Amino acid sequence: MEREDVVHVLGVAREALVPGGVLLDLEVVPPQPVIEVEGRVVCAVEGDGLLRAAAEATAVVDDLVARGVLREEAVDDHDALQHYPTGAALVADFENRERSLPATALPELVAIEEPCVMRERCRARRLRLLEPAG
């Protein structure tokens, strides 16, 4: 997502919110997600594009906070887990993603018959609109 797209989405959100309304912002944050099997890290996901785009979106929101348009009321950093029944199912799910799995890890991942987890670091922020839209 381009910076202009983020600005547009936030503008639409500001118009939709009443003064004092709440906006929830969910961000992916570094490091890259990892693939785990039974608590063991098998590999990290590759592709910086999503983290770069998320950082740009965060900068736009941070600017609105700094200008007093939004007030950050709460922040929660947490892990989001995506579960797969097998390594082959995980590999198949990555066929149409912007990020990828390391080629060197593919043979090991495809051979895994146990459940796999992708662990991704996320941040949720509760923001309040301080000025009327317009």
Side-chain angles (χ1 to χ4, degrees):
M1 181 176 274
E2 300 294 324
R3 184 178 182 93
E4 295 79 22
D5 297 330
V6 173
V7 171
H8 174 73
V9 168
L10 286 171
V12 170
R14 281 180 61 197
E15 290 174 12
L17 284 175
V18 297
V22 173
L23 175 68
L24 297 177
D25 180 34
L26 180 62
E27 311 162 6
V28 293
V29 295
Q32 289 287 2
V34 294
I35 306 304
E36 299 177 351
V37 177
E38 297 179 347
R40 174 181 65 90
V41 174
V42 176
C43 64
V45 175
E46 296 179 336
D48 293 329
L50 182 60
L51 287 177
R52 240 187 332 274
E56 289 176 13
T58 298
V60 172
V61 173
D62 288 347
D63 180 60
L64 291 172
V65 170
R67 292 188 342 208
V69 176
L70 296 171
R71 179 177 62 226
E72 183 178 87
E73 295 183 331
V75 177
D76 177 56
D77 287 356
H78 59 280
D79 288 342
L81 306 178
Q82 187 165 356
H83 297 266
Y84 297 90
T86 64
L90 179 142
V91 170
D93 187 50
F94 270 81
E95 289 178 8
N96 296 317
R97 288 189 181 218
E98 184 176 319
R99 295 186 285 185
S100 62
L101 299 166
T104 56
L106 291 177
E108 179 182 3
L109 288 170
V110 170
I112 295 171
E113 295 184 7
E114 294 86 11
C116 301
V117 172
M118 180 173 73
R119 180 181 302 272
E120 185 161 28
R121 198 74 185 144
C122 296
R123 175 172 296 138
R125 299 196 293 177
R126 185 176 69 224
L127 304 159
R128 188 165 306 273
L129 180 63
L130 297 179
E131 70 175 30

